[in-house]
Every structure is written in C-alpha cells, then in structure tokens.
Amino acid sequence: MSTERLRALIVEDEWPAREYLVELFEDSKLVDVVGAVSNLDEARQALHDTARLGIDVAFIDVRLAGEGDQGGLDLVRSFSGRANAPMFVLATAFRDHAIEAFSLDIVDYLVKPFTEERVEQCLRRLLARRRASVPAHSGRIVARRGKTLVFLEPDEVWAFEAAERLTSVHTPHGVFDVDLSLAAIELSFGRSLLRVHRNWLVNAAHIKELDREGRETRIFVGSCIGPEQRGVRIPVGRERAQAVRDMLLASATGVRRGQ
C-alpha cells in the first residue's frame, strides 16, 4: 500500500466542522494535519511559513467569523500564484463562489456537509496534482528556430508566451518556438514558473520591475534594467496583480508593502 501523504492546513472558524475535517483526514490515511486554525491571522502566519511546515494544501472556509463574507477567499487571492504556495481547496457551506475559485486555480470546492466519499475524492485529486508537478523539471528545454533545434537551460528562461495557438520562449539568446502548451509547461516545471496572465508564464527569478498605470499592471523580465534594457515587458492579469505584487515583496526588503 502506498504511504504517500499530504500535509494539510485547515482554516475553519467553526469547531465542529474543523474537528470533523481532522477526523476525516486521519481516517483516510492520506493526510497529516500540520495545523487547524480559526482565523486569518493564524492562517497567514502558517502560510508564510509554508516551506518550513511543508504544507501541501490548505483547506479554507470562505466565511470566517469577524473576517467578512469573503475573508477566506481574500486569503487565497493574496497567496495564489506565489512561489512555493500550497494548493488550495475551499471547504464551505456556500456554492456561489465556485466560478471565481477556479479562476484562482483552486484545486477543489467542497460544500458542507462533508462526506467521507467526497473528501477522499478530493484528496485523490490533490495527490494526482502533486504527482504531476513535483519534482519540477530539471532537464534542458528543446525549442525551435526554423529547422534548428535549440537547447536551453531552465534558468535561462525569462518567460513563456502563448499567442495565436503558438508558444514561444523568451531568453537572453532570443525568442524561440516551443511545441508545448502553457498548461503542459506549467505541469512540467511545477512551481518554478509563475502564471501572471492567461498567456504568460514567467521565471520569477528574472523579474526586474513592476509598474502600475491606472488599472493596468506590468512586469519587466530580463537581465538588464539600465538604459539598454534586455528583456520583455509583460502584462499582469487584473485578477492576479495583487498576488504577484505580494509575492515579489514577500521575498524582498527595502520597500513597505503599502507603497
């Protein structure tokens, strides 16, 4: 029998529901619960410490006492898309947030009252997602320039772009064609690439600038930010802009978050 297990965080303000999820997870033999918290402050602290705690997935209620009608969803918005963010599942009594939830790449949407069968189905789905994305891609990338094959190291990639049914890879050496969809690339590379727009995946290590003009947000990805910039300027989807900004500031010092 497989010993593969998920490490889970539960964010639920109602004690009976929280304890019932813990019980279901323990009975499934597929989950180790690393934390069960009742409010956003405790949840944020745990999620900021995802790497140390080894959190694979966070189960989050949408409505938490004292946090507004969408406190749990706001929490997901602030962490979704960050490097090393866990997978997210909404576990709630309300069905009306499902469309937005899946636009944030939430893996599953559990509606109360939970059942053993439905929770196990969710856990199997999470395990399948983790197998598909871990470990991240470690080999070279094969791209095309006309009839010539070009071999690239993963850390040379600035970004992947999808446009008109074609996928391109942007690098210091130029722009080349790739015979894969963005979805396939995202699965292959796991969390080493950041989805900033439906048409763009970027290597966060090469993000040099972030700027806002009105409601539009853009990033500059490249190797130089001087007068002779080398790189590509990329639009950030409006629904992802705050998460991208938070992710960049979370791993940097020198500027206050409110600026």
Side-chain angles (χ1 to χ4, degrees):
M1 179 179 293
S2 172
T3 59
E4 184 180 10
R5 297 169 75 97
L6 295 158
R7 291 175 63 82
L9 170 71
I10 300 172
V11 184
E12 167 62 67
D13 63 323
E14 296 180 358
W15 183 86
R18 189 166 66 247
E19 291 303 300
Y20 184 49
L21 268 181
V22 171
E23 181 181 331
L24 287 176
F25 290 162
E26 290 177 347
D27 289 345
S28 74
K29 309 300 184 185
L30 297 173
V31 180
D32 292 320
V33 177
V34 299
V37 302
S38 61
N39 60 68
L40 291 186
D41 287 341
E42 292 177 325
R44 289 192 188 96
Q45 183 176 349
L47 290 171
H48 278 301
D49 211 10
T50 290
R52 184 182 67 82
L53 295 175
I55 299 172
D56 295 308
V57 56
F59 289 80
I60 299 177
D61 193 1
V62 171
R63 299 187 185 181
L64 300 166
E67 308 289 358
D69 288 346
Q70 297 188 32
L73 201 55
D74 289 338
L75 179 69
V76 175
R77 291 191 194 101
S78 67
F79 280 89
S80 180
R82 290 190 186 186
N84 300 316
M87 298 178 285
F88 290 101
V89 172
L90 287 188
T92 177
F94 304 93
R95 300 175 180 271
D96 50 347
H97 301 290
I99 294 176
E100 181 176 6
F102 287 104
S103 75
L104 293 170
D105 197 30
I106 287 175
V107 178
D108 209 342
Y109 196 101
L110 294 177
V111 178
K112 298 176 182 176
F114 311 128
T115 66
E116 182 178 350
E117 293 76 16
R118 180 66 181 87
V119 168
E120 182 166 348
Q121 179 189 55
C122 172
L123 297 179
R124 299 290 181 189
R125 180 176 298 173
L126 290 163
L127 287 168
R129 170 74 72 94
R130 188 176 68 174
R131 291 188 200 107
S133 61
V134 178
H137 189 281
S138 60
R140 289 198 292 176
I141 300 156
V142 182
R144 291 184 292 103
R145 182 178 55 199
K147 295 182 179 180
T148 302
L149 295 181
V150 179
F151 297 88
L152 303 165
E153 297 298 329
D155 60 4
E156 294 180 295
V157 171
W158 289 339
F160 290 95
E161 177 189 11
E164 298 180 355
R165 299 185 181 181
L166 299 175
T167 303
S168 302
V169 56
H170 294 256
T171 78
H173 314 294
V175 181
F176 309 101
D177 296 327
V178 180
D179 295 329
L180 292 171
S181 67
L182 286 191
I185 293 168
E186 196 169 17
L187 283 174
S188 180
F189 280 80
R191 297 173 183 172
S192 62
L193 294 176
L194 178 65
R195 174 80 72 156
V196 300
H197 187 279
R198 61 188 178 89
N199 292 332
W200 287 92
L201 283 170
V202 304
N203 185 340
H206 291 298
I207 298 176
K208 303 299 185 187
E209 295 180 354
L210 179 145
D211 65 78
R212 291 178 176 177
E213 184 174 346
R215 298 180 63 190
E216 303 301 321
T217 300
R218 297 188 301 170
I219 55 175
F220 178 77
V221 182
S223 60
C224 178
I225 56 176
E228 299 180 359
Q229 288 189 333
R230 294 184 60 222
V232 56
R233 201 162 294 279
I234 296 171
V236 179
R238 290 180 182 177
E239 75 283 0
R240 302 174 187 268
Q242 190 60 50
V244 171
R245 177 182 171 84
D246 288 346
M247 182 277 294
L248 293 172
L249 292 179
S251 58
T253 60
V255 176
R256 293 190 297 271
R257 285 177 178 251
Q259 293 184 328

